[in-house]
């Protein structure tokens, strides 16, 4: 039987289109739309109340389902009692109806939808970042790759935050389990890609979580550079190197920045007999704040100890310390530096011998052996060049004993130098300086070479002075901002910063207006002509100023009779020192008693003054021990 064709009106679309566009049908649609809008406006309150009652009913039904079965009976009794009370109260049903209608209207109101998720520009940025990570997080043969070309970035990025400028501020991403996150090279590649795609010019912190295969990228803000030198709240043996991120340390200190006082997270370096990192090495580029850090350390060290400064650069950056109580010497010449470091080496030996004999005798160590001694050497490699040219010893040779035995003798060594001269540092300096600081712009390889571990942030090319990284022993690498401690004698220093530094320094031993020609030369760091040397005076064995009383004061020694009066007094142990100490019962007498010098008819070598005296630069630039009255001991050769 043949199939009958459909009517033409059903197969031809033209008549249907003409009927849909007819004027009568268009007017009908407009009237229906207008009636619907009018009814919606009139019935809008009822619609809102109905929608609210439906939401309240759904919420009540959910609450009833969540209620345990044993608690449903008391709850039903409470609701019934409330309904009964409302029925008995005058106008109770009306008030209940008004309350229910108001609650329904409030619950059914139209809320403005909150836009969630990234914008279109942010989606494009995340997609570009996802595509850039595909070559590093994907391998051939992966049946369900997390990273694939044209894939969905929402699977890989679990958290993302953008700042007002549309740049990534925080990003948490997942990576496959087969990624070699335990290798530094693999990590560095990923960090470089993220640094380039997230936006250069900022510093990012990368937190690797190997357990959950997640990487968190956080854009770090600049460390505060408005903290100036001040008296920090620390215990003896603690030195504030600078300040770091709040989540990097578990301690804060009250600091004054400008006109406000706030808490800042410090980088505290602990020294002393129980310290695991007793010595510090600072490296950086010129003008990055290494001298500022050493000056800050010296100002803090003067609170509880003595300071010996060797300025290899010879720029006079430590002139503000000259003549201060507790400052043994400030040397910038080769002769003075050699003599000062030689004295420090012998002083370390003397402290060890004296403390050991005191412990063997069952007594506490003398006070002068427990007072901290700080040796601050700024650019010692610059003096090494001069020493080689003059055929003399490298000043770093005398740092070997303080570096190896300084922790037991309360001697701390701080060395600062530049990257260009780092290879000239001696092996003891490299081996015994476990606390390290890198200042100024540096690559990740340079930071790793100095600190022993790469930084967890991306170093930037432009940083303010005093900005860098610090690592104390095997602790994590921390960002560091050194407190502003400029030279108060520099004309470019502001008055406020100058007063802040000068207020932390002790008063000068000899006022400048009362100082004679000799003292003025010493305060300004000038060498005295040989012909103007004062006559020799005997050392009475007095204790150094501020060093505390010592029961092991040395007897008088006439340096004028010594054939080596123009050389610094050395600490050497006499062969019969033990016998003398046992006879006198003095723990430090053997180290303090003087032995006639060579050439005076005795076979013993010259012994030093036992008291750890202060030092000044005289004549040839060699330091001389000074008694408690701060009077320089000089001998005319």
């Amino acid at each position: 039987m043949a199939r009958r064709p459909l009517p033409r009106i059903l197969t031809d679309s033209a008549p249907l289109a003409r009927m849909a566009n007819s004027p009568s049908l268009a007017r009908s649609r407009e009237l229906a739309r207008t009636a619907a809008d009018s009814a919606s406006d009139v019935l809008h309150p009822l619609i809102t109340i109905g929608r609210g009652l439906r939401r309240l009913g759904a919420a009540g039904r959910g609450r009833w389902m969540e209620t345990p079965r044993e608690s449903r009976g008391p709850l039903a009794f409470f609701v019934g009692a409330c309904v009964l009370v409302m029925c008995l109260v005058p106008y109770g049903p009306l008030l209940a109806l008004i309350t229910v209608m108001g609650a329904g209207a409030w619950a059914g109101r139209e809320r403005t939808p909150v836009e969630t998720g990234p914008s279109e520009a942010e989606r494009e940025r995340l997609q570009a970042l996802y595509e850039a990570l595909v070559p590093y997080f994907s391998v051939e043969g992966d049946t369900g790759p997390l990273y694939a070309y044209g894939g969905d970035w929402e699977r890989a990025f679990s958290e993302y935050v953008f700042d007002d400028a549309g740049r990534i501020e925080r990003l948490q991403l997942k990576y496959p389990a087969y990624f070699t996150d335990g290798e530094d090279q693999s990590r560095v590649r990923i960090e470089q890609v993220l640094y380039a795609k997230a936006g250069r010019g900022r510093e990012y912190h990368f937190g690797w979580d190997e357990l959950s295969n997640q990487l968190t990228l956080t854009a770090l803000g600049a460390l505060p550079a408005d903290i100036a030198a001040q008296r920090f709240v620390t215990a003896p043996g603690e030195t504030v190197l600078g300040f770091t991120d709040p989540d990097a340390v578990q301690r804060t200190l009250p600091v004054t920045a400008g006109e406000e006082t706030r808490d800042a997270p410090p980088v505290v370096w602990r020294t002393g007999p129980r310290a695991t990192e007793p010595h510090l090495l600072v490296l950086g580029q010129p003008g990055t704040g290494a001298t500022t850090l050493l000056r800050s350390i010296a100002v803090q060290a003067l609170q509880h100890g003595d300071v010996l400064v060797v300025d290899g650069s010879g720029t006079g950056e430590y002139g503000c310390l000259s003549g201060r109580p507790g400052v043994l010497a400030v040397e910038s010449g080769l002769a003075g530096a050699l003599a000062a470091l030689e004295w420090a080496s012998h002083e370390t030996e003397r402290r060890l011998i004296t403390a050991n004999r005191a412990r063997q005798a069952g007594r506490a160590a003398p006070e002068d052996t427990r007072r901290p001694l700080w040796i601050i050497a700024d650019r010692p490699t610059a003096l090494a060049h001069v020493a080689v040219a003059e055929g003399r010893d490298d000043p770093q040779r005398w740092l070997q004993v303080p570096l190896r035995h300084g922790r037991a003798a309360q001697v701390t060594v701080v060395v600062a130098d530049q990257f260009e001269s780092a290879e000239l540092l001696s092996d003891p300096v490299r081996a015994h300086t476990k606390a390290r600081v890198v200042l100024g712009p540096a690559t990740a390889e340079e930071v790793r070479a100095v600190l022993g571990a790469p930084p967890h942030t991306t170093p930037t090319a432009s940083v303010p002075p005093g900005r860098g990284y610090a690592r104390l022993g095997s602790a994590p690498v921390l960002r560091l901002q050194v407190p502003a401690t400029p030279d108060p004698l520099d004309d470019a220093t502001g008055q406020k910063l100058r007063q802040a530094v000068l207020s932390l320094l002790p008063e000068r031993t000899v006022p400048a207006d009362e100082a004679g020609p000799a003292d003025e030369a010493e305060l300004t760091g000038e060498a005295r002509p040989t012909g103007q040397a004062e006559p020799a005076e005997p050392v009475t064995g007095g204790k150094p100023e501020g060093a505390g009383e010592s029961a092991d004061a040395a007897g008088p020694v006439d340096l004028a009779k010594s054939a080596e009066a123009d050389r610094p007094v050395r600490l050497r142990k006499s062969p019969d020192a033990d016998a003398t100490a046992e006879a006198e019962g003095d723990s430090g007498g053997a180290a303090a008693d003087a032995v006639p010098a060579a050439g005076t008819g005795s076979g013993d070598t010259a012994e030093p003054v036992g008291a750890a005296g202060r030092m000044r630069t005289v004549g040839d630039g060699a330091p001389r021990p000074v008694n408690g009255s701060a009077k320089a001991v000089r001998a005319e050769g």
Side-chain angles (χ1 to χ4, degrees), residues 606-621:
E607 288 286 340
V609 178
R614 302 164 63 83
M615 303 171 64
R616 291 186 182 178
T617 303
V618 297
D620 56 351

Side-chain angles (χ1 to χ4, degrees), residues 243-554:
F243 297 89
T244 183
D245 298 302
D247 56 348
V249 294
Q250 300 179 355
R251 177 179 177 182
T252 58
L253 292 179
V255 296
T256 301
E259 300 297 334
E260 63 175 0
T261 300
R262 65 174 185 267
D263 292 338
V267 179
V268 179
W269 173 41
R270 294 175 177 84
T271 58
R274 294 177 177 83
T276 57
E277 305 86 19
H279 309 295
L280 176 69
L281 175 62
V282 182
L283 291 178
Q285 301 290 346
T288 54
T291 303
T292 299
L293 175 57
L294 265 61
R295 192 183 299 111
S296 174
I297 293 175
V299 170
Q300 299 179 60
L302 287 176
Q303 301 182 47
H304 307 286
D306 299 327
V307 177
L308 173 64
V309 181
V310 175
D311 184 11
S313 59
T315 56
E317 293 286 343
Y318 304 93
C320 60
L321 302 177
S322 300
R324 306 281 181 179
V327 181
L328 304 182
V330 179
E331 299 292 346
S332 58
L334 177 60
L338 286 173
L341 295 179
E342 183 180 1
W343 174 87
S345 178
H346 295 319
E347 173 65 12
T348 304
E349 296 175 353
R350 184 197 70 83
R351 291 187 174 207
L352 291 174
I353 295 172
T354 304
N356 183 42
R357 288 174 179 169
R359 286 191 293 266
Q360 291 179 357
R363 295 192 300 269
E367 183 67 22
D368 61 339
T369 63
R370 289 183 287 143
R371 182 172 175 82
L373 173 61
W374 292 73
I375 304 174
I376 298 179
D378 191 357
R379 294 205 64 193
T381 56
L383 296 176
H385 290 285
V386 182
V388 171
E390 297 183 2
R392 306 183 69 173
D393 294 335
D394 188 351
Q396 299 181 79
R397 185 174 71 89
W398 296 106
L399 291 175
Q400 183 174 357
V401 174
L403 286 171
R404 289 186 175 180
H405 308 286
R407 179 172 59 178
Q410 292 281 0
V411 178
T412 303
V413 179
V414 181
V415 179
D417 221 299
Q418 299 179 3
F419 280 118
E420 293 78 4
S421 306
E423 66 275 2
L424 299 178
L425 294 174
S426 62
D427 293 338
V429 172
R430 296 169 180 265
H432 296 283
T433 51
K434 300 300 182 181
R436 302 287 181 89
V437 173
V438 176
L439 296 178
T443 62
E445 291 76 12
E446 292 176 341
V447 175
R448 180 184 179 86
V450 177
L451 304 183
H456 294 288
T457 60
T458 53
T460 57
S462 178
V463 293
R467 176 70 176 80
Y469 297 93
R471 190 188 187 198
L472 305 179
S474 59
V477 179
L478 304 176
R479 293 203 305 166
L480 179 69
Q481 178 64 50
V482 178
T485 314
D487 182 12
L489 303 182
D490 190 1
D491 296 337
T493 304
Q495 184 64 23
K496 189 174 182 179
L497 291 176
R498 179 182 292 109
Q499 293 298 330
V501 177
L502 292 176
S503 63
L504 301 177
L505 295 174
E507 296 293 335
R508 293 186 183 272
T509 305
V510 180
D513 54 349
E514 298 180 6
D519 294 331
E520 291 177 357
E522 292 167 358
L523 292 177
T524 56
E526 300 176 0
R528 177 192 300 278
T530 307
Q532 298 181 4
E534 294 183 359
E537 297 181 4
V539 177
T540 59
K543 63 183 179 66
E545 182 176 353
E549 298 181 2
S550 174
D552 302 319

Side-chain angles (χ1 to χ4, degrees), residues 40 61 69 93 99 117 125 148 172 213 236 258-259 275 299 333 354 375 395 428 460 465 494 532 565 571 611 629:
S40 175
R61 184 170 58 256
R69 291 184 176 274
T99 303
R125 184 181 293 270
Q172 185 175 2
N213 297 327
E259 300 297 334
V299 170
T354 304
I375 304 174
T460 57
Q532 298 181 4
L571 176 65
S629 62

Side-chain angles (χ1 to χ4, degrees), residues 56 111 410:
L56 291 177
R111 299 180 178 88
Q410 292 281 0

Side-chain angles (χ1 to χ4, degrees), residues 50 75 108 127 144 149 170 197 211 231 233 341 398 452 463 580:
L75 180 60
Q127 184 66 28
Y149 293 106
R170 178 180 173 84
K197 293 299 182 180
L211 296 178
R231 194 71 69 192
V233 183
L341 295 179
W398 296 106
V463 293
T580 304

